Amino acid sequence: MTIYGVALLALCFLVGKITGTLLGAAIGIDGDVGGVGFAMLLLVVGNNWLKHRGGLRRVTEGGILFWSAMYIPIIVAMASVQNVRAALTGGWVALLAGVAATVGGFLLVPVLSRIGRPAATQTEHE
Amino acid sequence: MSELIEAVLIKNGLVFAFLCVGLLMWVSFWVSKHVLGSKIPGVALAIVAGLALAFLGDKKGLADVPLFAGLALLGGSMLRDFAVVATAMGADLDKIRSAGLAGTVALFLGVTLSFVLGVVVAFLFGYSDPVSLATIGAGACTYIVGPVTGGALGASSKVIAISIAAGVVKTIVTTVATPLVARSIGLDNPHAAAVFGGLIGTTSGVAAGLAATDPKLVPYGALTATFYTGLGCLLCPSVFFILLRWLA
């Protein structure tokens, strides 16, 4: 049933968020540290584990894939509710600091991508 | 009559938001295909259009207009994170494992680099006290790390506002620029996406930028980016601030 997939996704999501919040509390941060990451790992590992046992039923999988497909529309909605005016009110300091940090990150992508990269993917384009 | 219709749309805000986003994406894809000859992906266009529409409102973007309040729920952090987790269904465990080390290095380097660049910019603009410098440096990480650090160190509200603005600028620049520079920085595989997520760290920006570049890369970038804000909140008010005070 479709709801089984949605419920499974909800379980992974909540367990991840709780783990992230507990980790945050443990290191003294009022917030969620890597909650989404833990949830994703849980779903990937769980999915992998189930695959060896015949995998999820297609309808059940559909409950998860629906939300995966809703991801881009949600991002579009998210873009429309950003505090874009704040970006302008911070003045030049904010503008330059934000741009510098982003450009710096972009420039390091090719450098760090070399770390631990399997030889096969060097030529492979996905 | 129009009041009655508007009341229905406001009352059913989330459903109206589905319709609005659907229309916006349909128009974006149409323009992308027929006007721009598919040179700019429809997704990228829709995201930029969303950002532009956000100027109609204030702090909550378009959702400040009562009619469009439902967008705040659809585009809020709960559904965003829920959908991001769902994208992990398409992720490959082996690829995640092989990107683990590079992703971790990227996280530490990304937070450090953003902080240093933010501090340098603030210093050039005449800020010299360690608290303000650290807060603006933290803002260059993400718009959450900035106020968290500023709050912990007791920065002025003006400086905290600047730090939030710096983080928002980063999110917007990442959203818009990622699809444009992706090819030249080799951002075309899961490994590079994991590194990218760790280096940039703004979850919203990374997710939106990768969605506009290649939706298949989203889970890998989101996976590392999600640890960035936490790491920043951990390092900026402590280790980084102490180092900064020692240097000053």
Side-chain angles (χ1 to χ4, degrees):
Chain A
M1 277 207 315
T2 309
I3 184 65
Y4 293 166
V6 181
L8 186 67
L9 178 60
L11 180 72
C12 290
F13 174 83
L14 293 170
V15 170
K17 282 271 175 186
I18 291 169
T19 311
T21 307
L22 292 179
L23 179 64
I27 55 180
I29 294 168
D30 178 25
D32 167 10
V33 179
V36 173
F38 290 124
M40 291 172 90
L41 285 174
L42 201 60
L43 187 64
V44 172
V45 172
N47 194 21
N48 219 38
W49 182 82
L50 282 166
K51 252 183 205 156
H52 294 299
R53 282 156 191 76
L56 287 171
R57 286 214 177 160
R58 186 165 293 173
V59 234
T60 307
E61 209 173 30
I64 302 175
L65 293 178
F66 169 78
W67 283 102
S68 168
M70 279 303 285
Y71 165 73
I72 287 177
I74 285 173
I75 292 296
V76 172
M78 182 193 82
S80 75
V81 296
Q82 291 289 321
N83 186 0
V84 279
R85 288 181 182 221
L88 301 178
T89 53
W92 285 104
V93 189
L95 200 65
L96 285 175
V99 170
T102 315
V103 172
F106 280 156
L107 293 175
L108 281 180
V109 172
V111 181
L112 290 190
S113 291
R114 293 197 199 120
I115 301 174
R117 194 167 169 183
T121 55
Q122 294 281 9
T123 48
E124 187 186 326
H125 281 282
E126 277 149 292
Chain B
M1 176 157 136
S2 68
E3 288 89 5
L4 284 175
I5 295 175
E6 197 173 316
V8 172
L9 298 180
I10 291 174
K11 204 174 167 194
N12 301 287
L14 179 63
V15 176
F16 183 54
F18 286 141
L19 176 65
C20 293
V21 173
L23 283 173
L24 179 63
M25 289 187 70
W26 183 77
V27 171
S28 302
F29 275 79
W30 191 89
V31 170
S32 164
K33 194 175 170 191
H34 294 99
V35 181
L36 302 166
S38 301
K39 280 196 183 70
I40 299 173
V43 176
L45 214 56
I47 292 170
V48 173
L51 284 174
L53 287 169
F55 276 103
L56 296 174
D58 191 35
K59 276 202 171 109
K60 282 194 284 168
L62 191 55
D64 282 326
V65 181
L67 184 59
F68 298 107
L71 284 166
L73 183 54
L74 183 59
S77 63
M78 178 172 70
L79 286 180
R80 180 198 69 197
D81 289 350
F82 193 60
V84 168
V85 172
T87 65
M89 275 299 274
D92 185 331
L93 191 58
D94 295 329
K95 282 179 182 150
I96 291 176
R97 218 177 268 149
S98 78
L101 176 66
T104 311
V105 173
L107 271 169
F108 280 92
L109 207 61
V111 173
T112 311
L113 179 79
S114 293
F115 183 84
V116 169
L117 289 172
V119 167
V120 168
V121 169
F123 186 76
L124 292 177
F125 274 87
Y127 289 89
S128 55
D129 61 302
V131 171
S132 298
L133 288 173
T135 304
I136 296 172
C141 292
T142 70
Y143 57 77
I144 298 171
V145 183
V148 165
T149 304
L153 300 176
S156 70
S157 66
K158 180 176 174 265
V159 168
I160 291 180
I162 291 174
S163 81
I164 295 173
V168 175
V169 167
K170 191 181 188 186
T171 301
I172 295 172
V173 173
T174 305
T175 302
V176 178
T178 304
L180 304 176
V181 301
R183 187 167 297 203
S184 48
I185 59 173
L187 184 55
D188 59 1
N189 58 78
H191 195 86
V195 166
F196 170 77
L199 280 170
I200 303 284
T202 152
T203 320
S204 319
V206 166
L210 287 176
T213 308
D214 178 1
K216 280 203 283 305
L217 300 178
V218 168
Y220 304 98
L223 188 67
T224 43
T226 178
F227 289 96
Y228 185 101
T229 290
L231 188 64
C233 291
L234 185 65
L235 293 175
C236 294
S238 57
V239 186
F240 289 177
F241 173 66
I242 293 164
L243 281 173
L244 204 58
R245 205 174 44 182
W246 179 71
L247 283 171

